[in-house]
Amino acid sequence: DAKTTQPPSMDCAEGRAANLPCNHSTISGNEYVYWYRQIHSQGPQYIIHGLKNNETNEMASLIITEDRKSSTLILPHATLRDTAVYYCIVSTGFTNAGKSTFGDGTTLTVKP
Amino acid sequence: DTGVSQDPRHKITKRGQNVTFRCDPISEHNRLYWYRQTLGQGPEFLTYFQNEAQLEKSRLLSDRFSAERPKGSFSTLEIQRTEQGDSAMYLCASSPGQEQYFGPGTRLTVT
């Protein structure tokens, strides 16, 4: 599976949009981009995934560049409860989903 | 269904002892994963089941580790002759396909 690069930490003001970037320049055509987050002392929580089209659900939006070499997770109105470590993973999905190493992720701190 | 559950939540054991953890996945999820997470690191894949078949094991899963998923329902992860380096959070996840749903984890401390 392709490797991902994320900034180690980011801050965001409460109520503002949080934009978390992820680089995956070696992604192959059949690899999906997944985002998970982990709030302190809890198991990771699935957020969203996509292949090449932008995706939106009740939690977030995923913007994937046209060349698929990078993506951005957008939390439209960050709250204090969104403070967590956010992991970007690429994987070939259905058959191999879950086998990727999560990496170190981005620690997002939402400040009042 | 209340999600993935794991038991125990915490386990303290002495070096050399055997420990066993249990994971109950979301019902009807045919995929089940085990991960290990050490402090400050992301989860690392250990092994993966599709129904009762163990399809893949990471090189991290030494011969002291064994996992089972009898009848494709709950799963157990056993560590024999524990070492201090085994101290970590052990996470279980189940999946119906693309996304995974994680349990709260079992924190193992080997003294």
Side-chain angles (χ1 to χ4, degrees):
Chain A
D1 293 333
K3 299 292 185 184
T4 61
T5 303
Q6 299 178 253
S9 64
M10 293 182 63
D11 291 341
C12 178
E14 189 178 19
R16 303 297 294 270
N19 298 282
L20 293 93
C22 180
N23 286 322
H24 31 80
S25 59
T26 61
I27 192 169
S28 58
N30 61 346
E31 287 185 310
Y32 290 77
V33 180
Y34 297 82
W35 283 84
Y36 288 81
R37 72 180 183 184
Q38 188 171 26
I39 297 170
H40 184 62
S41 299
Q42 298 182 20
Q45 177 189 23
Y46 166 79
I47 301 173
I48 199 167
H49 76 277
L51 184 61
K52 53 183 178 181
N53 296 322
N54 298 337
E55 302 287 345
T56 296
N57 62 21
E58 65 279 4
M59 290 183 65
S61 295
L62 173 60
I63 308 298
I64 302 174
T65 58
E66 191 169 344
D67 63 7
R68 304 207 324 121
K69 292 183 184 300
S70 66
S71 60
T72 301
L73 179 74
I74 301 173
L75 308 178
H77 305 287
T79 71
L80 299 179
R81 290 178 296 178
D82 292 322
T83 292
V85 179
Y86 287 77
Y87 297 102
C88 169
I89 305 159
V90 295
S91 172
T92 49
F94 193 78
T95 302
N96 294 315
K99 289 167 45 182
S100 298
T101 298
F102 275 55
D104 295 335
T106 296
T107 298
L108 175 68
T109 303
V110 180
K111 299 185 174 181
Chain B
D1 194 299
T2 56
V4 179
S5 61
Q6 293 187 244
D7 185 69
R9 295 291 305 278
H10 303 275
K11 177 71 176 179
I12 300 174
T13 191
K14 293 184 177 180
R15 187 179 55 183
Q17 298 294 304
N18 299 341
V19 294
T20 300
F21 310 140
R22 177 179 170 123
C23 170
D24 286 275
I26 295 171
S27 58
E28 299 178 355
H29 281 190
N30 58 2
R31 288 172 168 74
L32 187 147
Y33 304 83
W34 284 99
Y35 292 83
R36 180 177 69 186
Q37 185 173 27
T38 53
L39 200 60
Q41 306 294 318
E44 297 174 292
F45 168 77
L46 291 178
T47 190
Y48 155 56
F49 290 85
Q50 183 163 328
N51 300 312
E52 67 275 9
Q54 187 174 19
L55 297 186
E56 189 154 343
K57 296 191 292 186
S58 162
R59 59 177 175 77
L60 296 174
L61 211 65
S62 75
D63 55 5
R64 296 185 298 106
F65 288 70
S66 62
E68 296 182 341
R69 192 184 182 196
K71 302 179 182 178
S73 56
F74 71 93
S75 176
T76 58
L77 178 68
E78 181 183 16
I79 308 174
Q80 297 182 326
R81 306 181 303 280
T82 52
E83 302 172 356
Q84 286 189 321
D86 297 330
S87 294
M89 176 77 83
Y90 290 85
L91 293 161
C92 174
S94 69
S95 174
Q98 291 280 10
E99 69 275 21
Q100 296 178 77
Y101 298 88
F102 282 80
T106 294
R107 181 165 296 284
L108 173 67
T109 302
V110 181
T111 61

